[in-house]
Amino acid sequence: MQVRGRNPKHEDTDSGLLHQHIYLTAANRTSTLAVEFESCNNYLLPSVCCSSSNVSLFLYLVSLSMEYDGVGDEELPFLDQTTLYDDCLPSRKKPRFHNNSMIENSNTQDFTSHLPDECIVEIFRFLPSYKDRCSCAAVSKKWLVLQAEMRSSEFKYNNISTIQARNCTASRCLEGKKANDTSLAAMAVGICSRGGLTELCIKGSFPSQGITDFGLKIIAQACPRLKSLTLWDCLKVGSKGLVSIAHGCSWLEKLDLLNSPSIGDEGLISIAENCPNLLTLNLDSCSGVGNESLYALARYSSKLESISLIKCPFLGDEGIVSLISGLPKLEKLKLVSVSAKDDVLEAVGRHGRSLRTFCLENISSVSEMGFCSFGRLEKMEFLSLRSCTGLNDTSFKAIGAGFIGLKAISIRNCTTLSDKGLKDLTKSASSLESLVLVECNNVTSKGLGELFMNCHKRLKVMCLVKCRGLKEEKEEANPNSSQSSLLPKCPFLESLKVNSCAGIGDSFLSWLGSACQQVRHLELMGLKSVTDRGVLTLMRALDTKNKALETVDLSGCVRLTDWSVLAVTSAFGEKLRSLKLDGCERVSDRSLEMIAELCPCLVELDLSSCGISDAGVLRLGRSRSQCIEILSLAGCKGITDKSLHHIEMMLGALVGLNIKRCPGLSKKVVDSVRDIIWWCDVLL
């Protein structure tokens, strides 16, 4: 292509005329593009004497004119076209032409700076294709921003049909340094061919370069069908940006705000008024939000189904009560570290007939009367209580009587829960399938026995963490102890987790095993009093015929030896997929031999801080267990460089290898093995 240009003659800008003629000569066709810029009262009005198909050629030559300064291969600031497709923007680009003979007149100046933004936008309207739009947006950041601010309806040749726009399900996530307004602008231009985004997640942690209200304004214009917006740590985003989203994205269904102190009531009120389809709202550490926002949500957002209010200091009783009372379809409510009193729980009991999930954490202003005023909520399925004052045996009895359809309950850091309260809670909730007790130190074996008696027919998940009241009971000292009688069988119990309960030993595991015959996932972690005897007894109690056990975690059980590994692998090795022995220092190479022979389907193996050596790793590498994907040898002091060579035999499926804190490994051999198994994620 040959380009011939003539410098514009700058006459008197108040009344003179600015003429620019550009002639294009192509190989197969000849066309003339004459553009006359007429100055009137310092305002430039374009008169384009060409067909719309030549507009992109004109803009292309305009971009070339920026480089015609006598040096054809000088580097200029740019936004590369290819980066628009990837929604990211580098800062510089190479010149499009390196052959100076193609430029007949090198004195042509950049005259685009004389064009007001309105003129450039008007020309952009005639761009015939999506690729041409990206090409023009890649010329400079100014052109990028101008295109990003244009709605798809403003383009004369819009190839996006309404059906395509409605079926668009594109999503993007920006984190860290990539979370800035420039990236959002590039994203807005690059996604226009698909009709915009439906999901956008921004996790910004760089206040100096983070997202601002201007970036949200661009997204609001480019993505009218946005349904989900997540803003985490976007400190520069305020109510103004949220107002732009509210006016431009009326289809919004989910809004998640975390650590957004600049967002106040104005932004959320606008969301409530302009986004009638809002279903989910999460507010975490939003110090600028007050009760006015909750009043607006209760008035306008009648479709809200899920609300989470966490650490918002200016939210009070009246706003939360109004919110609960005005949302008949509310199914999930989470209140954490907010000012909630008995009135809130009373409102839940009166108006929360549709509630299925209720989480109450770190609430110090609720009394026993508040919990007793819950009433009867038959649809409630999941209840989570953590660090709440006012909870006692009477409260748990009232909860159990009101939530007869309760399927899962989690109670954490509640020292007032006793055996009587646990019995009353589970007596009425006969449909209970999952129970999690964390730091409930007044619950003993007696209360646990009552739990199994009340819920053994449907119980599926049992989790006990740091419950100091669970201890060994010797039959010689107390013939009538609760552990002297067998527990009823739980035919549907699939997951059993016991973690860091210091008082639990072999006798407790033997007693517990009678109810856990169908367990598939077993976690016995941090039980320093448990020995091989307890594990052997528990393995015998499980159903060895069906071989249901798939995952076993014995991490932190420091007294276990190879006999425990033998008991697990010999009974359930054929279907075992995960085995974790982190911190079991007495486990040796003999365990690796048994694992290699008896566990052909093992996918994950954790041997961190075990007493193994190169010989055991060699046996594992030569085994038929070629399905291992994740292997951890962290802290194994007995392995050397030879073990890494043995690991090379496991080339088939290995994707994760942890060799931290292994003093016997040299850097040279480690680097060599990393080059061989380049696809594997190696932690050093």
Side-chain angles (χ1 to χ4, degrees):
M1 177 182 293
Q2 296 180 355
V3 181
R4 184 174 57 201
R6 181 167 59 87
N7 285 335
K9 296 181 179 180
H10 298 279
E11 302 178 358
D12 186 4
T13 56
D14 292 333
S15 60
L17 295 177
L18 177 62
H19 297 276
Q20 176 68 33
H21 297 279
I22 301 175
Y23 299 95
L24 305 177
T25 303
N28 295 326
R29 71 180 181 128
T30 301
S31 61
T32 300
L33 174 63
V35 181
E36 179 180 5
F37 297 103
E38 190 170 309
S39 180
C40 181
N41 296 328
N42 292 330
Y43 188 83
L44 294 176
L45 300 175
S47 175
V48 182
C49 304
C50 64
S51 64
S52 59
S53 62
N54 287 328
V55 175
S56 59
L57 296 177
F58 163 72
L59 293 172
Y60 183 66
L61 279 182
V62 169
S63 66
L64 288 180
S65 69
M66 297 179 180
E67 302 176 35
Y68 297 167
D69 57 354
V71 183
D73 45 2
E74 179 184 356
E75 296 232 312
L76 293 172
F78 86 111
L79 296 172
D80 189 8
Q81 173 182 348
T82 57
T83 63
L84 292 176
Y85 301 136
D86 299 330
D87 298 337
C88 59
L89 298 172
S91 58
R92 302 184 68 81
K93 73 177 285 187
K94 295 180 180 180
R96 295 180 176 86
F97 293 98
H98 298 276
N99 187 359
N100 292 337
S101 63
M102 300 182 65
I103 306 175
E104 297 182 1
N105 189 346
S106 62
N107 295 323
T108 304
Q109 298 180 2
D110 175 19
F111 58 85
T112 58
S113 59
H114 298 283
L115 284 173
D117 293 346
E118 293 81 0
C119 294
I120 300 178
V121 170
E122 182 65 21
I123 296 173
F124 283 162
R125 290 185 60 248
F126 291 89
L127 290 173
S129 68
Y130 158 70
K131 291 185 178 180
D132 290 328
R133 300 173 194 174
C134 289
S135 298
C136 292
V139 170
S140 67
K141 288 188 178 180
K142 176 182 178 180
W143 285 22
L144 169 68
V145 172
L146 290 178
Q147 279 227 54
E149 290 183 308
M150 295 177 64
R151 299 178 181 273
S152 58
S153 58
E154 296 182 38
F155 291 97
K156 184 175 181 181
Y157 301 96
N158 188 4
N159 300 323
I160 307 302
S161 66
T162 305
I163 298 178
Q164 288 177 332
R166 290 180 178 178
N167 295 333
C168 173
T169 57
S171 62
R172 292 291 187 274
C173 182
L174 298 179
E175 298 184 19
K177 292 183 178 180
K178 293 183 179 180
N180 53 63
D181 289 346
T182 307
S183 297
L184 285 183
M187 184 184 299
V189 176
I191 203 65
C192 68
S193 64
R194 302 182 184 178
L197 294 172
T198 54
E199 297 182 11
L200 176 60
C201 177
I202 302 175
K203 301 178 181 179
S205 57
F206 293 86
S208 60
Q209 302 177 354
I211 302 294
T212 66
D213 293 337
F214 179 72
L216 288 189
K217 178 182 177 182
I218 290 176
I219 291 298
Q221 292 181 352
C223 307
R225 298 187 182 275
L226 187 69
K227 293 184 178 181
S228 176
L229 176 62
T230 299
L231 301 176
W232 289 5
D233 299 318
C234 297
L235 304 181
K236 289 188 174 182
V237 173
S239 296
K240 186 176 180 181
L242 215 57
V243 170
S244 299
I245 292 293
H247 288 287
C249 307
S250 59
W251 289 52
L252 193 67
E253 296 179 356
K254 179 181 179 181
L255 179 61
D256 189 352
L257 304 178
L258 170 64
N259 191 21
S260 302
S262 300
I263 294 179
D265 290 333
E266 180 184 356
L268 283 175
I269 291 174
S270 183
I271 289 289
E273 293 176 347
N274 297 281
C275 301
N277 297 318
L278 192 65
L279 300 177
T280 302
L281 176 64
N282 299 324
L283 302 178
D284 191 343
S285 303
C286 298
S287 56
V289 177
N291 285 340
E292 295 298 326
S293 298
L294 302 187
Y295 296 148
L297 290 168
R299 183 177 181 181
Y300 299 106
S301 303
S302 59
K303 295 183 180 180
L304 265 174
E305 297 177 353
S306 175
I307 293 182
S308 178
L309 306 177
I310 303 175
K311 298 179 182 178
C312 298
F314 292 105
L315 296 182
D317 249 12
E318 295 179 358
I320 299 176
V321 170
S322 174
L323 186 68
I324 297 172
S325 304
L327 301 177
K329 297 183 179 180
L330 189 62
E331 296 182 357
K332 180 179 179 180
L333 177 62
K334 184 175 183 179
L335 303 176
V336 179
S337 301
V338 295
S339 178
K341 300 180 181 178
D342 294 344
D343 294 343
V344 174
L345 298 188
E346 184 177 353
V348 171
R350 288 183 178 180
H351 306 284
R353 300 302 177 184
S354 300
L355 271 180
R356 298 182 181 273
T357 300
F358 184 43
C359 301
L360 204 63
E361 300 181 10
N362 298 325
I363 304 298
S364 57
S365 302
V366 178
S367 67
E368 174 187 334
M369 294 300 297
F371 287 102
C372 293
S373 63
F374 262 137
R376 194 176 184 87
L377 300 178
E378 299 180 355
K379 293 185 177 181
M380 185 73 72
E381 296 180 353
F382 176 75
L383 177 65
S384 177
L385 302 173
R386 180 176 183 175
S387 302
C388 296
T389 59
L391 284 172
N392 53 32
D393 291 344
T394 305
S395 303
F396 285 112
K397 183 177 181 180
I399 293 173
F403 301 167
I404 58 176
L406 200 63
K407 294 184 178 180
I409 185 170
S410 174
I411 305 175
R412 302 170 183 266
N413 194 19
C414 183
T415 57
T416 57
L417 177 62
S418 66
D419 294 338
K420 183 178 184 302
L422 186 60
K423 176 183 177 181
D424 294 336
L425 176 64
T426 58
K427 185 175 182 180
S428 300
S430 57
S431 301
L432 194 66
E433 298 179 355
S434 175
L435 176 66
V436 177
L437 300 179
V438 180
E439 295 185 82
C440 297
N441 297 326
N442 286 333
V443 174
T444 66
S445 300
K446 181 179 179 181
L448 207 59
E450 295 290 347
L451 165 69
F452 279 105
M453 291 296 296
N454 294 330
C455 306
H456 67 279
K457 294 182 179 181
R458 297 192 178 186
L459 193 63
K460 295 181 179 180
V461 178
M462 167 72 72
C463 180
L464 307 172
V465 180
K466 297 181 181 180
C467 295
R468 299 178 181 178
L470 299 177
K471 300 179 181 179
E472 295 283 284
E473 295 181 3
K474 297 182 180 180
E475 296 184 12
E476 296 81 2
N478 184 11
N480 296 324
S481 66
S482 58
Q483 296 181 13
S484 61
S485 57
L486 295 177
L487 293 175
K489 296 180 181 181
C490 300
F492 299 105
L493 187 61
E494 298 180 349
S495 178
L496 175 63
K497 179 178 181 179
V498 183
N499 188 353
S500 302
C501 297
I504 290 181
D506 296 339
S507 300
F508 187 91
L509 288 186
S510 177
W511 174 68
L512 200 61
S514 60
C516 310
Q517 295 186 358
Q518 301 295 330
V519 169
R520 298 175 57 188
H521 308 285
L522 178 64
E523 296 184 21
L524 306 176
M525 304 170 60
L527 305 181
K528 299 182 179 181
S529 300
V530 172
T531 65
D532 294 332
R533 177 177 171 271
V535 175
L536 289 171
T537 306
L538 181 60
M539 291 299 110
R540 291 194 189 103
L542 300 181
D543 187 1
T544 57
K545 294 182 179 180
N546 295 329
K547 298 184 183 299
L549 197 61
E550 296 180 1
T551 63
V552 177
D553 191 346
L554 302 176
S555 300
C557 299
V558 295
R559 300 182 65 181
L560 300 184
T561 68
D562 296 329
W563 286 105
S564 295
V565 179
L566 175 61
V568 174
T569 55
S570 60
F572 304 98
E574 292 183 7
K575 293 186 178 181
L576 197 64
R577 298 185 60 82
S578 176
L579 178 60
K580 297 181 180 180
L581 303 169
D582 184 4
C584 299
E585 301 177 353
R586 300 185 183 184
V587 172
S588 66
D589 294 338
R590 295 184 61 184
S591 294
L592 290 186
E593 294 180 9
M594 292 179 285
I595 292 173
E597 294 179 1
L598 302 175
C599 304
C601 299
L602 197 64
V603 174
E604 182 178 7
L605 178 60
D606 189 349
L607 301 170
S608 301
S609 302
C610 291
I612 61 175
S613 65
D614 295 334
V617 179
L618 173 62
R619 187 69 183 86
L620 185 65
R622 291 179 176 178
S623 70
R624 59 185 184 127
S625 302
Q626 295 299 324
C627 296
I628 296 181
E629 298 179 2
I630 302 176
L631 176 63
S632 179
L633 302 175
C636 295
K637 301 178 181 180
I639 63 174
T640 65
D641 292 340
K642 294 181 180 180
S643 294
L644 293 182
H645 294 300
H646 303 330
I647 291 175
E648 293 179 8
M649 304 179 192
M650 306 169 61
L651 293 179
L654 194 64
V655 295
L657 177 63
N658 187 352
I659 49 177
K660 292 183 176 180
R661 307 186 309 279
C662 296
L665 302 180
S666 64
K667 185 178 184 302
K668 181 179 179 180
V669 177
V670 169
D671 292 339
S672 175
V673 173
R674 292 182 69 178
D675 292 338
I676 295 175
I677 53 175
W678 52 268
W679 63 87
C680 181
D681 186 11
V682 181
L683 299 180
L684 300 175

